Amino acid sequence: MSQKQIELAVFDWAGTTVDYGSSAPAVVFERTFAQEGIHFTRQEINAFMGMEKKGHIRSLLSTENGTAQWKAVMGREWDEGDVERLYEAFEANLFDVVAEYSAPIPGTVEAVAKLREMGIKIGSTTGYTSQMMERVIPAAKEGGYSPDCVVTPDVTGAARPTPFMLFECMRQLNVYPPKHVVKVGDTIIDMKEGVNAGAWSIGILTGSNLLGLTEEEYKAMPAGELEKRKQEVRAKYLEAGADLVIDSISELPAAIEELNRRLAEEVR
């Protein structure tokens, strides 16, 4: 492959390649906190999506709403012991449902096949642990999606938005420098991971956590309202450092061709 081309695409999982709308983690966060008498809206939960899950729990508890609810229900401030306990409950709940939400998003299998025809390696990073991924990977593979490597935060000891999981993908697949890598995701934190790694970043609209719609809600939404929502999400991706924003994963091969053009012309 030319030294002026993208050689590695690093994908997020839920909301990007599998689990339309990133439903599994949102459902599990709702269930885990409800078991404690604490209730967050889907919008509040989605605001931190893409983080390592303990960090996500900590961030929710740190919000004004989370802090107030916890004190009202528990009669005290939350502490790290509570984070650990909630995380254990989150893991148990997730193991019950995650495989059910691991079907590839429409267009994923075809887009990845096209990238491989282009000579591009397929990596992945996630906020799930390696144990959680033991259930996700086989379910996704049954649907036709299987990346070349899967890197989890417990392996690197560092979660997004740090670049270390992406760097580990590069190490495992022997691709460098970062300008030959693109991070593809559906959250702000995905874009920041790519930016912090010095790689390219592409945000996806359809099926994304950031758009926050189930497939049924997406299809039922009036065209004008849907377009307005997409424009708002597009602006958020760009503000977070995305180089490109695409409507769906089906557009990814063409988007990477655009990045190849920029590389050839040394335009960023």
Side-chain angles (χ1 to χ4, degrees):
M1 176 174 286
S2 165
Q3 292 303 301
K4 295 287 188 179
Q5 290 191 327
I6 298 296
E7 299 177 41
L8 169 63
V10 179
F11 291 92
D12 175 52
W13 281 81
T16 300
T17 52
V18 303
D19 185 9
Y20 192 109
S22 194
S23 297
V27 166
V28 174
F29 277 119
E30 286 175 352
R31 182 181 302 181
T32 300
F33 279 100
Q35 289 167 347
E36 300 283 344
I38 308 295
H39 301 280
F40 291 106
T41 66
R42 184 65 64 92
Q43 185 176 11
E44 287 174 311
I45 290 168
N46 284 352
F48 304 105
M49 203 64 78
M51 295 181 70
E52 178 272 329
K53 303 313 175 192
K54 275 187 194 176
H56 196 146
I57 290 167
R58 198 176 289 114
S59 295
L60 285 169
L61 290 173
S62 297
T63 63
E64 184 177 351
N65 181 32
T67 298
Q69 283 196 70
W70 189 270
K71 193 166 186 179
V73 172
M74 303 297 179
R76 60 176 176 80
E77 303 288 342
W78 62 272
D79 57 31
E80 284 301 309
D82 297 315
V83 173
E84 292 293 334
R85 184 168 53 79
L86 285 163
Y87 178 73
E88 289 177 7
F90 176 88
E91 277 199 320
N93 288 330
L94 185 64
F95 285 143
D96 288 339
V97 304
V98 69
E100 299 173 24
Y101 289 89
S102 295
I105 291 172
T108 296
V109 174
E110 295 80 5
V112 168
K114 178 62 177 175
L115 296 193
R116 286 197 163 117
E117 288 175 9
M118 295 164 66
I120 295 171
K121 297 175 182 178
I122 307 300
S124 68
T125 64
T126 179
Y128 288 161
T129 65
S130 52
Q131 283 186 314
M132 294 173 190
M133 292 306 295
E134 287 175 3
R135 298 204 175 191
V136 175
I137 293 169
K141 189 173 184 178
E142 280 188 22
Y145 173 59
S146 182
D148 301 320
C149 76
V150 179
V151 179
T152 57
D154 54 307
V155 169
T156 59
R160 298 179 296 210
T162 74
F164 301 113
M165 288 195 292
L166 191 148
F167 288 159
E168 178 61 15
C169 285
M170 291 172 60
R171 187 194 69 81
Q172 288 188 26
L173 298 176
N174 192 30
V175 174
Y176 61 91
K179 68 180 180 180
H180 295 148
V181 179
V182 59
K183 175 61 199 289
V184 184
D186 69 301
T187 66
I188 295 301
I189 207 164
D190 285 310
M191 301 302 99
K192 291 182 177 179
E193 179 185 25
V195 170
N196 290 339
W200 303 87
S201 296
I202 296 178
I204 298 178
L205 296 172
T206 302
S208 69
N209 166 268
L210 206 53
L211 193 60
L213 300 173
T214 66
E215 196 164 4
E216 293 73 22
E217 289 169 338
Y218 183 96
K219 291 176 179 177
M221 185 168 285
E225 183 179 351
L226 181 59
E227 183 57 29
K228 180 175 181 292
R229 290 277 290 268
K230 286 184 176 181
Q231 289 302 323
E232 291 170 353
V233 171
R234 183 183 301 275
K236 290 178 181 178
Y237 277 136
L238 294 172
E239 184 180 356
D243 295 286
L244 293 172
V245 180
I246 58 178
D247 189 72
S248 75
I249 197 168
S250 299
E251 297 177 358
L252 185 58
I256 289 180
E257 291 289 10
E258 166 60 17
L259 297 185
N260 287 338
R261 183 192 67 77
R262 295 185 190 184
L263 273 170
E265 297 177 3
E266 297 186 350
V267 175
R268 186 73 192 242

